[in-house]
Amino acid sequence: MELTIQTSNPYQILIQRGCLDHLGLQACALFRENSRAMIITDSNIGPLYAQRAADSLEKAGFMPEIFTFPAGEESKRLSTIEQIYTAMAELKMTRTDFIVALGGGVTGDMAGFAAATFLRGIGFIQIPTSLLAQIDSSVGGKTGVDLPQGKNLVGAFHQPRLVLIDPDTLSTLPTRFFSDGMAEAIKYGCIKSRPLFELIRDNDMAKDPKMLERMICECVDWKRRVVEDDEFDTGERMLLNFGHTLGHALEKHYDFGKLTHGEAVGIGMVKISRAGEALGLTKPGTAEEIAAVLRQYRLPTADSAPAENLAKAAAMDKKGMGGTLNLILLREIGHSFVHPIPKQELLSIIKEREEHA
Ligand code: NAD
Ligand code: ZN
């Protein structure tokens, strides 16, 4: 499937099994022959796929190089970006050269940020290889790195010139990361589409590559629509934060150790939906329906972290402006809305939920 996303710089998103090998051909339409291409990848993905990407580029007349960094969120920092700049400067890369981000969200965010800033911006191609990156982080142009003070505190909006999604690369993705991405897929169903939610519920995405490809297409299409409506994240794009206010709070509470992002978001979706039900804003039974699908994909649905700690962590989250917190709630599965509350009310809202649980 091929989609075009109409952002300030429109680009194609190609979703097709095996399309990693079409990288060179696809790049021909976007970049000059003989351009240098810096493939940025991590130490897990590089050995599996970087040579294939390089071969494809070379066959199409480009000059590829591979930059590999140690896998993991700890690498998503400015010191790695500096190493990337150094490697590119030593190769005397110019503004007509380009970057290829080959990997998960960590790779995409970092390679994208390097592309946004090197020589004040050069082109880049996203080849997401984790489920989370394929359905979420590779589309939309948010790039950046972490600081010791918090995640994603430095960054830029920089849209890729092309996104190549090859679902076959997921065959090597460790199970826990697959489940992690499934939480975000379930989120799209919750906020936008009951049919997508049911597709996920009624099939086993880990065992059915055809259904998985269909699911990826639908998720990406939803992300595309939301980003087109709100490229710079000032309104509609907020809906993508469903489950994330409490999810981020949980991640922080455990110092990013106990729960993966998807696991925390899953718990957050259940908790906030219980709260919505208690407030009479969410259709009764919704939280349980979400929990059942999460369990199907081996994701946790509850956590014993004290509500006080979560409310405190959520209040400090950079996304809450001033004294208001924009909660994302569901009317029912497939319909979401923004529900602004004064920050100090969050605690009583999630506590009420606990009493009703
Ligand atoms: P990740 O890039 O660290 O990948 C997860 C793990 O899976 C890593 O160990 C990686 O090496 C491995 N891996 C990935 N693909 C593989 C494959 N095909 N085969 C074998 N191993 C593979 O993390 P992630 O979960 O993909 O992404 C998380 C990051 O994405 C976070 O830093 C988050 O802030 C960011 N993010 C960004 C956006 C955005 O809009 N830019 C949105 C959501 C998340
Ligand atoms: Zn997320």
Side-chain angles (χ1 to χ4, degrees), residues 63-95:
M63 294 192 288
E65 297 281 338
I66 299 170
F67 179 96
T68 310
F69 65 87
E73 183 78 27
E74 311 75 57
S75 285
K76 203 175 119 176
R77 51 164 78 188
L78 288 167
S79 58
T80 314
I81 295 289
E82 191 170 3
Q83 291 170 19
I84 295 172
Y85 293 152
T86 304
M88 296 201 299
E90 278 174 357
L91 286 166
K92 300 195 167 47
M93 283 177 70
T94 68
R95 294 189 69 178

Side-chain angles (χ1 to χ4, degrees), residues 42 44-45 48-49 71-73 76 103-107 109 129-130 132-133 136-137 139 142-143 151-152 169-170 172-174 177 180 223 237:
D42 79 19
N44 295 331
I45 300 142
L48 294 168
Y49 303 110
E73 183 78 27
K76 203 175 119 176
V106 166
T107 305
D109 279 14
T129 63
S130 70
L132 180 132
D136 187 359
S137 61
V139 174
K142 283 192 185 175
T143 73
K151 286 189 59 170
N152 300 319
T169 59
L170 299 178
T172 54
L173 185 70
F177 289 110
D180 196 39
K223 174 99 190 217
R237 205 163 166 172

Side-chain angles (χ1 to χ4, degrees), residues 192-252:
K192 287 292 182 187
S193 163
R194 180 169 259 287
L196 172 58
F197 185 88
E198 291 177 355
L199 182 83
I200 295 168
R201 184 193 64 193
D202 300 340
N203 294 278
D204 184 351
M205 294 301 163
K207 297 219 173 90
D208 190 337
K210 269 218 171 98
M211 280 301 163
L212 177 62
E213 187 175 355
R214 196 170 137 197
M215 180 196 85
I216 293 169
C217 290
E218 292 202 18
C219 290
V220 170
D221 207 22
W222 281 114
K223 174 99 190 217
R224 175 190 66 78
R225 281 181 241 187
V226 172
V227 170
E228 279 178 352
D229 287 349
D230 181 18
E231 181 173 354
F232 298 106
D233 201 4
T234 54
E236 160 100 0
R237 205 163 166 172
M238 264 194 293
L239 297 179
L240 297 172
N241 286 334
F242 177 56
H244 280 61
T245 299
L246 295 176
H248 285 150
L250 274 163
E251 285 184 278
K252 254 193 231 163

